[in-house]
Amino acid sequence: MSNGRFDPNTADRRWQGRWEDARSFRADSSSNKPKTYVLEMFPYPSGRIHMGHVRNYTMGDVIARYRRMQGYEVLHPMGWDAFGMPAENAAMERKVHPGEWTYANIRAMREQLKRIGFALDWEREFATCDPEYYGHEQSLFLDLFEAGLVYRKESEVNWDPVDRTVLANEQVIDGRGWRSGAIVERRKLAQWFLKITDFAEELLEGLEGLDQWPEKVRLMQENWIGRSQGLQFRFRIASPIGDIDSLEVFTTRPDTIFGASFVAVAADHPIAQAIAAQNADAAQFVAECKSGGTSAAEVETAEKKGFKTQIEVVHPLDSSWRLPVYIANFVLMHYGTGAIFGVPGHDQRDFEFASHYQLPIRRVVAQAVELASEPIGNEAEASKGVAVNSRFLDGLTTDQASAEVIRRAELAGWGEGTIQYRLRDWGVSRQRYWGTPIPIVHCPSCGAVPVSRDDLPIVLPEDVDFNKPGNPLDRHPTWKHARCPRCAGTATRETDTLDTFVDSSWYFIRFASQPSDKPFDKDEAEKWLPVAQYIGGVEHAILHLLYARFWTRALERLGRISIVEPFKGLFTQGMVTHETYRAGDGSWLSPDEVKRDGDDWIHIENGEPVTKGRVEKMSKSKRNTVDPEPILMKYGADAVRWFMLSDSPPERDLEWSEAGIEGASRFVQRVWRLAATSACGDGDDISLKRRLHRSIAGVSEAIENLQFNKAVAQLYELTTAIEKADPSATRHEAVRSLILLVAPAAPHLAEECWAELGESAMIASAAWPAFDPTMLIEDEVTLAVQINGKLRDTLTAPRGLDRAAAEALALASEKVRRQLAGATPRKVIVVPDRLVNIVA
RNA sequence: GCGGACGUGGCGGAACGGUAGACGCUGGGGACUUAAAAUCCUCUUCCCCAAAGGGAGUGCGGGUUCGAUUCCCGCCGUCCGCACCA
C-alpha cells in the first residue's frame, strides 16, 4: 500500500462506507458545538446528476467539511424537489406513474451523489412528493389561509384546447402549445393567490441587511419588487356610463399634471369592457389588443394604438378642462390602476401616441424657467427640471411640484400620495396532477372551505390515467367528491395543485427540524436557521429566493418562527460549460463523437470536418453535455471534485475539459506520493515552515471567501515546496498539514493519506490546522527599485530597513547608477519593505 | 429603453494604488526507459538582439498620482437581468 498509485476505485467506496458506519456527518442538534447550516439548492430528480450539480454540491461540501474541521456542528442535508411537470410528461410518454418514475430517479441520483462522497446527513433526506412533506405543506397553506394571506381570484392562463390543459409560459412556443401544436387561448380561471404584495415593503427593506448576498441578486430582487412613489387620483367622468362615474389613474410625475393631453385605459379595464359591450368597433379593438404578443420583440415594435371613446373626463385642477379617453394597447391592466393620463411632452410612450393621434404636446417641465417656450423636439423629455406653463406650479422643481400636487389632491380629496409595486401576488394554482393538492373543498352553500386538519394529508390518488387530455385529478372518478367540512353537504375538492415553488419555499426549515406531527418545531429549527451559506445557480435569483423569503416572513408574522430572513449568506455559482461541435449539415455533435486532428476537428464516424462552435452551457439541445458518471469511474471522486474547484472563480463559468480533469488527477497522485514516501526526518526547515504557515493562512482565507480557485493555487504551491524540500521534521509535519488542508476538497485521498501516515482516527473528525502569525513575517524582503515608476532592479534587504538605508541601497545599485548616468534624483519615494521609486 | 457585470499571454485565471501574468492547462526542449505510459528538469506576454541588454504591454482615449490592471471621466465591445411598469 505504501507505494504505487492512489486507487480511487477501491478507496472511494471504502471511505464512504466508513463515514456511513461512523455516522460522521450526522447533524446533532443537541451538540454543544457552535452550529452552522450549509445548504445547496436541492435538485429536481431528473434521473441523472449533471456537472452543474457536481460543481454546486462540491462547493457546499468544501464549506461543510471545512466548518466541521473548525469545530462546528454542521447541518448539511440533501433532498429532492420532486414535484413538477417532467414526471407527468414521462407518465404520458412511457406509461409509468409519475411517482414511480420520480422515486426511481431519486434512487439513481442518490447513488450517484454518494459516489462523489459528499458529507451529507442522509438521515434527514426527504422528497417534496412524500405525502408526509406535502401534508405539512398543506397545513402551512391553511395557516396562511386563516391569516388572510390566501385569496381566490379570476386570472388568465394559457389554455391548450387540444390537450385541455394549462400551459406555463415556456410551454407556449410561437403562440402554440408545445405538444399539441394547437393555438393557445387565454382563458380566465379562478385561481389561488398568496398575498406576497403585503410583504413588498419588508422584502425590499430586508434586502439591505443581506450583506452576504451578491449585490447583483439584491438588485435583481429590488427591481423585481419595483417600488415607485407617486399620486393615485380620480378623474370625474363628464357623462357617466352606467354606474361608473370616475376613472382612477396612477402617476409617478404628478408635477406634469398640466401637461395632460389625454387619458387612456387598458383593453381589459372595466371601462373598456363596458364600452366594448355597447360598441362593436370598440369590442373589435379590445380583441385586437388581447391577441397581440407579449414577447420583447413584439412589444418593442408594436405601434402605439388607441380607440377613441366618446367619454371625456374633467381635469381635477380645472373643471372647465376636458380630456378625451382612449382605450390604448400600451396600457397594462396589471400595473397601477390600469389607466393613465398621457403627458406627451414628458413621456416617450405618450409622445408616440399623441403624435399618432395629433394630440397636443405641451412643455410643462424645462431645465430653466426661461426655457418655458422652447418647443418639445422629436422625442419626449423625461428628465426632471422646473415646472413651466403649469399655473401655480411654475418655478417649482419637479420634486417640489409633485409634493404640491399631492398636497392639494389630498386636501381636496381627489387623490392621495401612494406607493406602487411592480410585484404582483403569487398565483399558486396549477392545473396539474403531480403537485401538492390544495387543501380546499368547494361547497355549493359554504363556498371555498379549508379542509379539516384531521384529514391531512390530502393524498394524491394513485390510480390515474394520463392517456386522456386534461387534469387527471379533475376527471378521476371518485377523488374530488367530498363532504363540506362546515355543513357536511356534498362538495367538490379543489383539483388544482400548488406551484412547486411553494415546495421549495420552506424545505430548508424542514431539513432543520422534522417532527411527524407538525411541519417543524420552532426551537429545533432555530438551532440551525438561518442557513449560514446557501449555494445555487443565479437562475433562482428572483423567484425561488423571493418566495422563500416571503414564506419565512409569513411564518414569522404568524408566530411560527422568529427569523425573517432564511438565508444569511448566498452564493450563486457559475455554470459548467463545454465547447460545441457541429457537423457539415449543421447538426450538433457530442464531445465523444468528435476528435482532434491537428488544429481541426473531425467526426469520428465518417472523418468529415467538424466546426467547433462557442463554449456554451452544457445542454441536451447543443449536445455538449458530459456525464459525470463515467468520469467518476475513470478518475475517481476527488479528481472530479478538485477540477470543479480549480481554475475558474466559482461565480464564473467553468469550462469542462479533458485536460483539466487530467491535471486534477495528476495532483491527486502527487499528494499521494508525498504522503506515501514521507518519513519522519530530523531538524527544522525554517523556510518550508514559513511557506506552510503562509499556506494555512492563505487556504483558510480563500475558503472563508469562497475563492476555491485561489485555495487550489495555494495548495499547488505548497505541494511543490514540500516536494522540493529536503527531508526534515518540518517536511514531515508539512505533509501532514497538507493532507488536512486538502481534506475538504479531496476527502477520500485525504483519508487514505492520513491512514498511510499512521493515524488511526479518520480525518473526517480531525481539526483544521492553525497557523502561527509570527511565521508569516519574513526576515528578508525583496525591494523593488523603480526609476520614474519603471522597474529597474530588485534588491534583497533585511526586513525593517529604514527609509534612508533603503534609499542608499537603491542608489548604490549598479543598474540604477547606469540608468541615472550621473543625474541627481529630484525625489525618492520609499515604501518600507516594498519599494524605492527614484524620480529623476 | 432601464439596471448590472465583465474586458489581463495560445487558454482558464492571479495581483492591500507599489516587481503585471501567481497557479493550472496547452505547447517546445531535455532526463529516465529497449520503447511507451507515468515521473522529473527546463522554457513559454510580444518585439529587437548571438548575448548582455533594451523597448512595448492589462479593450480604446483622457485625467489624478512619485507610481494605475486597480481610482475618476468619456468611448468601444461582450454577457446577464428586467422590460410599453405610467
Side-chain angles (χ1 to χ4, degrees):
Chain A
M1 182 53 82
S2 59
N3 47 31
R5 295 170 62 77
F6 169 68
D7 177 16
N9 274 321
T10 57
D12 288 3
R13 290 292 188 196
R14 189 166 64 248
W15 292 108
Q16 286 157 14
R18 296 271 312 265
W19 296 329
E20 198 167 328
D21 292 345
R23 299 170 87 190
S24 297
F25 308 120
R26 195 173 64 95
D28 178 4
S29 63
S30 63
S31 163
N32 297 324
K33 296 180 188 172
K35 296 188 182 60
T36 191
Y37 187 174
V38 178
L39 182 68
E40 300 94 57
M41 292 179 185
F42 68 162
Y44 176 78
S46 58
R48 298 199 67 76
I49 292 294
H50 57 66
M51 282 296 178
H53 293 128
V54 179
R55 192 177 189 206
N56 189 182
Y57 304 145
T58 298
M59 289 178 192
D61 206 52
V62 170
I63 306 290
R65 286 178 181 268
Y66 169 70
R67 292 281 178 233
R68 182 168 294 277
M69 290 179 80
Q70 282 186 315
Y72 285 88
E73 185 68 29
V74 179
L75 172 57
H76 186 217
M78 182 54 70
W80 311 95
D81 188 14
F83 273 135
M85 280 187 335
E88 291 190 43
N89 296 336
M92 283 183 259
E93 282 158 19
R94 299 173 215 186
K95 317 277 181 231
V96 289
H97 187 272
E100 203 181 299
W101 182 84
T102 302
Y103 283 107
N105 286 348
I106 288 173
R107 279 192 298 278
M109 288 174 78
R110 186 193 297 123
E111 278 320 297
Q112 290 190 303
L113 288 182
K114 288 192 170 178
R115 176 68 189 84
I116 312 173
F118 294 128
L120 293 163
D121 182 355
W122 285 104
E123 293 173 32
R124 291 173 188 252
E125 177 194 5
F126 61 80
T128 56
C129 64
D130 297 341
E132 186 183 358
Y133 182 83
Y134 70 72
H136 292 309
E137 184 166 307
Q138 288 166 337
S139 89
L140 291 174
F141 179 88
L142 295 180
D143 291 342
L144 299 200
F145 185 90
E146 282 159 17
L149 293 172
V150 179
Y151 66 97
R152 196 165 148 87
K153 146 187 122 168
E154 290 262 304
S155 177
E156 273 191 356
V157 293
N158 300 307
W159 179 259
D160 185 320
V162 171
D163 283 350
R164 292 191 10 234
T165 183
V166 172
L167 300 176
N169 287 332
E170 310 82 68
Q171 296 172 318
V172 181
I173 295 152
D174 296 330
R176 290 170 182 276
W178 66 334
R179 282 174 183 283
S180 68
I183 292 181
V184 171
E185 298 167 6
R186 290 207 221 167
R187 260 204 196 185
K188 281 205 163 177
L189 294 181
Q191 307 202 61
W192 292 100
F193 286 82
L194 301 187
K195 277 195 192 164
I196 189 170
T197 53
D198 256 29
F199 293 77
E201 193 61 41
E202 300 186 29
L203 288 167
L204 189 65
E205 278 172 8
L207 290 172
E208 281 168 35
L210 296 174
D211 55 350
Q212 291 175 47
W213 279 39
E215 187 63 34
K216 175 193 163 91
V217 174
R218 280 153 57 187
L219 264 161
M220 279 163 74
Q221 293 220 348
E222 194 179 314
N223 293 337
W224 188 262
I225 296 168
R227 182 187 203 271
S228 46
Q229 207 155 357
L231 170 68
Q232 187 158 327
F233 71 96
R234 291 162 291 283
F235 282 105
R236 190 163 57 77
I237 297 177
S239 44
I241 40 164
D243 51 357
I244 307 174
D245 61 356
S246 76
L247 174 55
E248 188 150 44
V249 300
F250 172 75
T251 178
T252 53
R253 292 291 299 272
D255 63 302
T256 63
I257 197 160
F258 290 108
S261 301
F262 65 96
V263 169
V265 300
D268 32 10
H269 191 278
I271 288 184
Q273 299 285 317
I275 293 166
Q278 295 164 11
N279 179 323
D281 291 344
Q284 203 201 324
F285 181 78
V286 166
E288 220 174 279
C289 289
K290 288 189 153 191
S291 67
T294 51
S295 74
E298 284 170 293
V299 165
E300 194 88 338
T301 53
E303 211 181 330
K304 305 275 179 290
K305 279 194 217 159
F307 176 87
K308 189 174 181 185
T309 70
Q310 299 307 305
I311 302 173
E312 286 190 328
V313 294
V314 181
H315 195 284
L317 289 164
D318 180 349
S319 58
S320 66
W321 186 351
R322 302 289 164 94
L323 294 162
V325 176
Y326 286 78
I327 302 170
N329 65 349
F330 68 96
V331 180
L332 306 172
M333 190 58 214
H334 60 248
Y335 185 78
T337 61
I340 59 152
F341 73 93
V343 183
H346 306 284
D347 181 285
Q348 188 56 23
R349 293 155 301 179
D350 298 348
F351 180 90
E352 287 169 33
F353 189 81
S355 307
H356 198 271
Y357 293 101
Q358 276 100 50
L359 294 160
I361 300 176
R362 261 187 304 272
R363 172 182 295 281
V364 288
V365 180
Q367 289 315 297
V369 188
E370 302 74 50
L371 301 170
S373 54
E374 284 285 304
I376 297 287
N378 47 21
E379 58 181 24
E381 293 177 18
S383 52
K384 290 184 176 183
V386 292
V388 293
N389 307 320
S390 294
R391 309 186 191 184
F392 57 83
L393 298 175
D394 284 355
L396 298 180
T397 65
T398 295
D399 293 338
Q400 290 166 340
S402 293
E404 176 59 15
V405 173
I406 291 171
R407 193 185 67 82
R408 289 188 183 229
E410 288 179 346
L411 206 63
W414 50 268
E416 44 283 319
T418 52
I419 292 158
Q420 280 289 333
Y421 297 93
R422 204 194 78 105
L423 183 69
R424 286 189 275 158
D425 276 336
W426 177 13
V428 292
S429 290
R430 295 292 180 273
Q431 293 70 35
R432 316 220 80 95
Y433 166 76
W434 195 233
T436 301
I438 296 176
I440 297 282
V441 164
H442 298 283
C443 170
S445 42
C446 306
V449 181
V451 160
S452 160
R453 288 179 190 259
D454 299 337
D455 294 338
L456 296 183
I458 302 300
V459 179
L460 289 167
E462 288 291 315
D463 51 334
V464 284
D465 180 4
F466 286 91
N467 295 322
K468 290 186 221 137
N471 179 354
L473 284 182
D474 197 36
R475 53 156 205 272
H476 188 276
T478 56
W479 188 80
K480 71 176 171 184
H481 302 305
R483 291 267 152 211
C484 171
R486 196 165 296 159
C487 70
T490 310
T492 315
R493 232 175 247 303
E494 170 69 60
T495 58
D496 285 354
T497 51
L498 289 171
D499 180 4
T500 56
F501 274 120
V502 175
D503 309 335
S504 53
S505 289
W506 72 285
Y507 77 106
F508 44 88
I509 308 178
R510 182 75 188 166
F511 272 145
S513 165
Q514 23 196 252
S516 58
D517 61 335
K518 53 184 173 182
F520 56 87
D521 177 81
K522 182 173 185 282
D523 293 337
E524 182 77 3
E526 286 169 8
K527 286 181 180 168
W528 302 104
L529 285 162
V531 175
Q533 187 62 60
Y534 195 33
I535 309 179
V538 240
E539 66 274 19
H540 292 115
I542 299 177
L543 296 183
H544 162 58
L545 290 167
L546 193 64
Y547 292 150
R549 293 181 61 220
F550 156 67
W551 197 272
T552 306
R553 278 172 189 272
L555 292 177
E556 193 269 344
R557 193 180 281 185
L558 304 188
R560 303 294 300 274
I561 201 157
S562 52
I563 55 156
V564 286
E565 288 294 342
F567 313 118
K568 189 164 189 292
L570 172 71
F571 188 82
T572 53
Q573 103 265 6
M575 299 177 298
V576 181
T577 61
H578 197 282
E579 285 176 339
T580 50
Y581 312 97
R582 286 187 117 143
D585 63 0
S587 64
W588 300 98
L589 297 172
S590 77
D592 39 59
E593 287 174 310
V594 300
K595 68 171 185 191
R596 243 210 143 94
D597 180 32
D599 285 345
D600 299 318
W601 290 80
I602 57 167
H603 194 167
I604 294 169
E605 204 176 280
N606 52 25
E608 282 173 19
V610 165
T611 320
K612 186 159 74 88
R614 304 187 349 153
V615 173
E616 297 202 58
K617 179 185 180 173
M618 286 189 179
S619 74
K620 281 185 190 145
S621 62
K622 302 263 166 64
R623 303 199 62 209
N624 63 339
T625 55
V626 174
D627 185 354
E629 194 159 293
I631 306 284
L632 284 162
M633 305 274 273
K634 185 170 175 191
Y635 297 97
D638 292 334
V640 174
R641 295 168 59 114
W642 191 258
F643 177 60
M644 287 292 131
L645 303 169
S646 313
D647 295 342
S648 285
E651 68 278 10
R652 286 205 214 163
D653 291 352
L654 171 70
E655 188 187 341
W656 175 266
S657 74
E658 199 70 21
I661 182 73
E662 290 279 355
S665 179
R666 267 201 296 277
F667 178 72
V668 167
Q669 297 301 338
R670 266 175 86 191
V671 173
W672 169 248
R673 277 196 301 276
L674 270 185
T677 59
S678 182
C680 307
D682 287 323
D684 268 2
D685 178 340
I686 192 71
S687 105
L688 180 64
K689 199 165 185 174
R690 286 214 165 93
R691 171 72 261 177
L692 172 64
H693 284 258
R694 227 171 34 241
S695 297
I696 296 171
V699 171
S700 309
E701 195 192 338
I703 295 177
E704 293 283 352
N705 297 331
L706 302 140
Q707 296 171 312
F708 305 113
N709 57 323
K710 288 197 209 167
V712 164
Q714 301 243 18
L715 288 166
Y716 275 119
E717 283 184 80
L718 177 61
T719 305
T720 305
I722 299 174
E723 282 170 345
K724 295 207 151 109
D726 293 324
S728 65
T730 307
R731 189 179 188 276
H732 192 62
E733 183 53 37
V735 170
R736 252 182 70 94
S737 298
L738 172 68
I739 306 308
L740 289 165
L741 294 175
V742 153
H748 312 86
L749 169 74
E751 293 287 8
E752 196 80 355
C753 292
W754 202 237
E756 181 67 22
L757 292 180
E759 298 287 341
S760 52
M762 282 195 285
I763 208 165
S765 51
W768 187 251
F771 65 89
D772 174 357
T774 63
M775 292 302 293
L776 304 183
I777 303 160
E778 299 286 347
D779 43 26
E780 273 198 337
V781 295
T782 305
L783 279 182
V785 182
Q786 299 179 332
I787 296 176
N788 296 331
K790 269 191 189 301
L791 182 72
R792 292 302 174 187
D793 200 1
T794 55
L795 304 169
T796 305
R799 193 175 62 83
L801 198 65
D802 66 39
R803 285 168 187 274
E807 181 175 334
L809 198 64
L811 289 171
S813 152
E814 174 66 27
K815 287 173 184 171
V816 168
R817 291 219 307 264
R818 202 185 319 139
Q819 280 286 332
L820 287 176
T824 318
R826 282 193 291 151
K827 193 175 168 187
V828 178
I829 312 279
V830 179
V831 182
D833 295 335
R834 290 212 81 121
L835 77 99
V836 179
N837 188 15
I838 299 160
V839 186

